[in-house]
Amino acid sequence: MPGITIPGIVASGNGSMRNVITVAGIMLAVFVVTPSVHAAKSFDGLWALTKKECRNTDQADSRTLIDLSKPIGGKPAPMVDQYENHCRIDRKTAIGDGVNLSVTCFEFWDNFKKGIEPRKATFKLAPGPNGTIKIDGKAYFRCKMPASR
């Protein structure tokens, strides 16, 4: 009876062939469906529309800090922080390879800490080309994080 040899597997006969095909199909499905650990995109970090805006200035700019685990007052407080736009992340919803963030925003940091004068908003994050991310459809570059003081 003819047999088929696959490294580590020897199959002979029609029943065994069906088993080999089934096992090979399962292995292929696991390989194709299981996402690579390296493929996961981290949205955490400091981002800006241009590399020039990555510099630390007191002027209004596009710099956006995304921290999905920032502790504030000893409690985890995931947030998105932009110039005069301090937002607490209330909910994350995975959408394809991106995420929608439902947030509560405050114009001033003191209002953020006190929870006064909030407004609701949504940020849409998605991986972009060449190490960028897209925030609401616009490409942002990763900035170097400022050194801790």
Side-chain angles (χ1 to χ4, degrees):
M1 184 179 298
I4 296 175
T5 304
I6 300 173
I9 302 173
V10 176
S12 61
N14 289 338
S16 294
M17 182 58 147
R18 188 174 17 252
N19 291 341
V20 168
I21 291 171
T22 301
V23 169
I26 291 170
M27 289 172 29
L28 179 63
V30 168
F31 176 75
V32 170
V33 175
T34 304
S36 167
V37 173
H38 301 293
K41 181 70 175 176
S42 172
F43 297 113
D44 281 340
L46 184 61
W47 304 89
L49 288 171
T50 67
K51 297 278 187 180
K52 183 178 179 181
E53 284 190 316
C54 285
R55 294 187 208 127
N56 191 6
T57 67
D58 288 333
Q59 298 174 347
D61 58 31
S62 68
R63 288 185 318 144
T64 302
L65 175 68
I66 300 171
D67 190 338
L68 301 179
S69 62
K70 181 178 182 73
I72 295 179
K75 298 178 187 175
M79 65 182 301
V80 175
D81 193 64
Q82 296 175 318
Y83 184 79
E84 293 187 358
N85 200 26
H86 314 286
C87 305
R88 178 183 62 238
I89 299 171
D90 300 321
R91 186 176 64 244
K92 296 182 285 188
T93 306
I95 306 292
D97 57 355
V99 65
N100 282 352
L101 303 176
S102 298
V103 299
T104 302
C105 297
F106 304 85
E107 183 176 357
F108 303 106
W109 186 250
D110 284 341
N111 291 5
F112 177 90
K113 292 192 295 187
K114 295 175 184 175
I116 57 174
E117 298 180 23
R119 64 189 182 288
K120 297 290 186 179
T122 302
F123 286 97
K124 295 179 182 183
L125 308 179
N130 303 320
T132 63
I133 63 168
K134 289 191 175 191
I135 302 175
D136 294 332
K138 295 180 182 174
Y140 281 67
F141 296 92
R142 185 182 293 275
C143 302
K144 283 188 172 181
M145 292 293 286
S148 299
R149 296 180 191 190

